[in-house]
Amino acid sequence: MAGLHGWTNNSPPARAISLELNREQLSNLTRLTKITPREAEELTFSPWKSHYPPIKNIITDNGSRSDSWLFTGTPRFCPRCLDRGAWKKEWSLPVVFACIEHQIFLHAVCPQCARLSERPWQLLQRPNDHTLHPAQCRQTTSNLAGHKRKSTACGYRLDGAEIPGMEITPALLNFQIGILRRLNPQSTPEESCTYFTDLRLVMALINSTWPHASTLIHADLAKDVDTYIQSETKTRPGPLGSPQRYRILSDPPREARTCAALMQAADALLISEDLSDALPRFIDSPSTERFPRKAWANIFERHRDSCSDKLRAAATPAAHRYRRVRMSGPRAPLRNDYEPQHIPAYLEQKWFNSHFDHITGIRIRALRRTAAVQLVQWVNGGSMGDAAQFLGINHAGVQYAPITDLRYWAGSRRNLAEFETALHELATELRTSSAPRIDYRRRRGILQDWVMPPETWRRISNELPHNRGRAPVLDDRKRQVASVFVWTHVTQGEHLFAPRPLEREQPPDTQRIWALRRNTTWFQMTRPDAYPHFADLRKVLAEYAAKLALSIDNGEATT
C-alpha cells in the first residue's frame, strides 16, 4: 500500500528501502501510517549516512553494490530487547556487537536452527508468512511432516531466549559505547567516517597477519578469534600447481564476540602513538605461511583517500610494495607532488644526511642509488629499469642492481620498511620545500657526451700549485678523469655512469689500460687524505664545476 515493494508489485521488499526513502515513498508512508516525515526517516539508515561510509556509498550508487560492513544477512539481536518487542536497526551494523542497556553480547543466529539468511538482500524473510510473531525466527527449514507447504519457518521464539556466554567485559562495553557515540549526529561526520574506514582497514590487516596481533586480544576471546581465522583460511591451487593458502580479509565476523575482539584490537593499534612503526611490522611480518599481502594492499588503495591522515602516512610506505594497479601493463605512478627531473641520479648528500644517515647494514652507494631510482619510479610509473634509464644509469649492466642490494640487506623486512618511510619523508620535503629546484635532467642532457676542452684543461693545469717531487702527469687520461669529476659534481651522478668520449677515441689497447687504472685514479681523486696534487686538482675542478652548473641553469651553456 505504501509502494515499498521490490522490483514488481508481487516481489518482497528489498533491504534498499531501509537505507533511504525517496520523496514519493516517504509521502506514501507518512500518509498511510500517520507518522511524521522525520519519524519515517528515523526508520531508515539515512540519519547515519554522513557518519558511516558504507551507508553513504551504497546510497550514492543507488544500491547497485553491497557492502559486508552494512548488511550481513539477518541482524544480530538482544533476546531481552526482543522480549519487549523491539528490533533495532543498529543491529544490522557489524560495528554494533553489544546491547548497552542489558550489557550483553548480541547474538548472530537462532539458537535452535543456527541458520543464516538464504536471501540476505530481502528486508524480511518469508514476508508472506503472516502466522509468525515478530520475535519468531523466520529462517526457512525443510518440511519433514508432509504438510501442504514444502517448507516452514523455524518459528523459535527469540525473545527471552537463554543463550550462554553472552556476558561482556567492561572494556568491550565501553568500546561499544564509544562506537555508538560516533554514530550520534552530534559527533563530527569527518572524524566518524575516517575512524570507521581506519577500523575496517586495520581489522583486515590483523586478519591477514594473524597471529601477530594475538597479544592485543583478551585471552578469553583469543581462542574464538583463532577459530574464526582458521575457518576463513582457504586453499587454492598455486601458480605451479602447489596449494596456496589465502584468507578472506575484509568481511567482519558474524559472531559478535569475535567481531568485538578484532575491532578492539584494531582500535588499540589505531590509537597507539607509534603507528608508523607498528603498522609496517604487521604488513611485513614474517610467517611460516606466506599469505600474499596484495589483497590487503588493494583494499588499502581502495579506501586510501577516505582513511585518516595518520593511517595513510603509516601504511603507504609498506603497502606500496604490494600495490597492484592492474593485472598487466606498467606500474602506474604513485605520487604526483614533485617532478622527476629534480631528482639526481645519485641522491644529494644533504638529503641522505637528513633522512637516511641512520640506516645501517647496506652500502651507501646502493642506498643513494636505489633511493633516487625509487623516487623517479613513484612519479613516472613503469619499472625500476625505466626509472634508471630516465636517470641515465646503466640498468642493463652488472653495476646496477638496487633490488638485489635491498633484498640482501632487508632480510627481516623491517629495515626495508624503514627505508621506504625515510623515502616518503624525503618526497614530502620535495613537495613542501621552497628552495630553488635544480633540473638535473637538463644538466645530464647537456653533458651527455661531454669532455673538458683542451684549452680549459691547460688553463686548469697551469693554475695548479707546484709541489715538491716529480711533476704530476697531466695527459689526456688525466683530462678524462677530471672531466668525470666535473660531470659528477654538475649532474650529481656516479662516476661509473659518466660519459667517457675521450676514452672511446683511443685505440683498443689504450682503452684497456685506461679502464684498468680507472678505479685507482678515482680513489686518489676522492679519498679524504688525498695527496697534495689530487687535493689541489679537485679543489680547482670543484670551482670550475660550480661555474659550469650555474651557466647551464642560466641557459648560457648549451653544448
Side-chain angles (χ1 to χ4, degrees):
M1 295 176 64
L4 302 181
H5 47 72
W7 296 105
T8 65
N9 290 343
N10 296 325
S11 61
R15 281 186 178 271
I17 67 170
S18 64
L19 293 170
E20 188 176 48
L21 298 176
N22 59 42
R23 183 176 300 177
E24 181 181 357
Q25 291 172 329
L26 193 63
S27 175
N28 291 341
L29 184 61
T30 55
R31 184 174 62 253
L32 178 69
T33 60
K34 308 302 181 185
I35 61 176
T36 65
R38 181 178 180 83
E39 289 173 330
E41 287 180 344
E42 288 292 333
L43 294 174
T44 69
F45 290 106
S46 59
W48 293 335
K49 65 181 179 181
S50 60
H51 291 70
Y52 195 65
I55 298 175
K56 179 181 178 180
N57 295 338
I58 294 180
I59 290 177
T60 303
D61 291 347
N62 295 319
S64 60
R65 64 175 177 176
S66 60
D67 194 327
S68 60
W69 279 74
L70 179 56
F71 294 140
T72 55
T74 52
R76 300 169 182 152
F77 62 91
C78 170
R80 299 174 191 175
C81 287
L82 286 182
D83 195 30
R84 300 190 309 203
W87 279 89
K88 298 182 179 180
K89 63 179 181 180
E90 59 260 32
W91 291 347
S92 293
L93 303 181
V95 294
V96 179
F97 52 81
C99 175
I100 301 302
E101 181 181 357
H102 298 108
Q103 300 185 8
I104 60 173
F105 280 112
L106 300 179
H107 202 65
V109 294
C110 168
Q112 177 168 287
C113 69
R115 293 172 66 92
L116 296 176
S117 173
E118 296 178 354
R119 296 181 175 88
W121 60 88
Q122 286 187 10
L123 180 68
L124 189 67
Q125 303 302 311
R126 302 178 67 87
N128 61 334
D129 196 338
H130 61 278
T131 64
L132 295 173
H133 185 275
Q136 283 185 279
C137 174
R138 307 182 74 90
Q139 299 304 319
T140 298
T141 61
S142 299
N143 182 10
L144 302 178
H147 295 297
K148 184 176 181 180
R149 285 179 176 268
K150 294 183 179 180
S151 63
T152 60
C154 169
Y156 183 79
R157 291 292 292 258
L158 303 176
D159 50 335
E162 292 297 330
I163 304 174
M166 299 284 285
E167 298 77 16
I168 190 171
T169 62
L172 279 174
L173 187 63
N174 290 332
F175 177 50
Q176 179 68 94
I177 293 173
I179 287 180
L180 292 174
R181 191 178 296 121
R182 293 181 184 274
L183 292 172
N184 194 302
Q186 279 70 44
S187 62
T188 306
E190 293 78 11
E191 292 183 0
S192 297
C193 283
T194 56
Y195 175 78
F196 287 123
T197 302
D198 290 357
L199 198 67
R200 74 185 296 171
L201 287 174
V202 178
M203 186 169 156
L205 180 61
I206 291 174
N207 285 351
S208 65
T209 59
W210 184 262
H212 293 285
S214 57
T215 56
L216 300 175
I217 295 177
H218 194 276
D220 294 340
L221 298 175
K223 185 177 181 181
D224 294 339
V225 173
D226 187 68
T227 301
Y228 163 74
I229 294 291
Q230 295 305 321
S231 68
E232 295 298 304
T233 302
K234 313 295 183 183
T235 303
R236 62 186 173 192
L240 299 178
S242 58
Q244 182 185 59
R245 307 191 76 190
Y246 69 98
R247 287 173 178 163
I248 300 173
L249 299 173
S250 57
D251 294 350
R254 280 283 301 160
E255 208 279 317
R257 287 166 51 91
T258 305
C259 193
L262 287 170
M263 287 183 182
Q264 189 182 39
D267 180 77
L269 270 179
L270 286 171
I271 64 177
S272 62
E273 296 181 357
D274 60 340
L275 184 63
S276 295
D277 182 53
L279 214 60
R281 290 204 304 268
F282 273 88
I283 298 172
D284 294 325
S285 57
S287 175
T288 55
E289 302 176 22
R290 294 296 297 174
F291 292 100
R293 303 287 192 264
K294 286 182 180 179
W296 186 85
N298 289 339
I299 294 173
F300 173 74
E301 287 298 328
R302 190 159 58 245
H303 298 281
R304 185 176 183 273
D305 294 335
S306 55
C307 69
S308 66
D309 293 338
K310 180 181 178 182
L311 180 62
R312 189 182 305 116
T316 297
H320 160 257
R321 287 191 297 281
Y322 305 102
R323 181 171 178 256
R324 181 177 61 188
V325 179
R326 51 184 179 269
M327 295 300 293
S328 61
R331 180 186 292 271
L334 179 67
R335 304 181 68 121
N336 60 359
D337 48 359
Y338 58 88
E339 299 295 332
Q341 64 267 24
H342 298 146
I343 307 299
Y346 195 53
L347 202 67
E348 286 191 17
Q349 185 66 48
K350 61 181 180 180
W351 294 353
F352 176 82
N353 294 339
S354 299
H355 299 279
F356 300 91
D357 196 33
H358 64 286
I359 298 179
T360 59
I362 183 175
R363 293 180 303 165
I364 294 177
R365 175 184 295 175
L367 193 62
R368 292 176 66 175
R369 182 191 301 166
T370 305
V373 171
Q374 190 90 73
L375 285 171
V376 171
Q377 185 194 27
W378 281 357
V379 290
N380 277 359
S383 65
M384 294 189 74
D386 296 334
Q389 186 174 6
F390 179 90
L391 292 170
I393 295 175
N394 179 24
H395 64 282
V398 295
Q399 297 161 327
Y400 172 66
I403 298 178
T404 303
D405 281 317
L406 285 182
R407 282 177 179 170
Y408 279 118
W409 168 61
S412 66
R413 302 193 65 86
R414 168 122 184 236
N415 288 333
L416 189 56
E418 185 180 13
F419 165 74
E420 294 210 5
T421 298
L423 204 59
H424 274 277
E425 291 174 354
L426 173 56
T428 302
E429 179 183 314
L430 294 177
R431 181 191 65 202
T432 58
S433 175
S434 59
R437 305 291 175 84
I438 298 175
D439 192 339
Y440 287 107
R441 189 185 189 193
R442 184 171 183 272
R443 290 184 178 184
R444 290 193 300 269
I446 290 178
L447 300 181
Q448 62 181 340
D449 205 20
W450 178 84
V451 67
M452 186 181 296
E455 59 274 13
T456 304
W457 176 238
R458 283 193 297 270
R459 178 177 57 81
I460 289 177
S461 301
N462 294 331
E463 292 178 4
L464 295 175
H466 295 284
N467 298 308
R468 293 181 180 180
R470 189 173 58 181
V473 177
L474 298 172
D475 57 2
D476 280 347
R477 189 184 70 83
K478 186 68 71 65
R479 176 160 68 103
Q480 180 68 86
V481 174
S483 302
V484 171
F485 185 88
V486 171
W487 182 89
T488 59
H489 275 250
V490 175
T491 66
Q492 282 292 309
E494 292 183 70
H495 75 98
L496 297 171
F497 310 117
R500 290 179 169 82
L502 191 57
E503 182 177 315
R504 291 197 303 268
E505 294 175 356
Q506 307 303 314
D509 291 342
T510 305
Q511 290 186 31
R512 284 193 292 270
I513 294 174
W514 285 21
L516 289 173
R517 301 180 63 184
R518 183 184 300 168
N519 290 338
T520 303
T521 308
W522 186 255
F523 171 73
Q524 297 296 339
M525 282 286 295
T526 57
R527 61 186 292 183
D529 54 342
Y531 293 126
H533 164 67
F534 287 103
D536 295 336
L537 178 59
R538 70 188 184 192
K539 180 181 178 181
V540 176
L541 292 176
E543 294 173 354
Y544 172 72
K547 295 178 181 178
L548 179 59
L550 183 61
S551 66
I552 293 175
D553 295 341
N554 291 337
E556 299 170 2
T558 57
T559 60

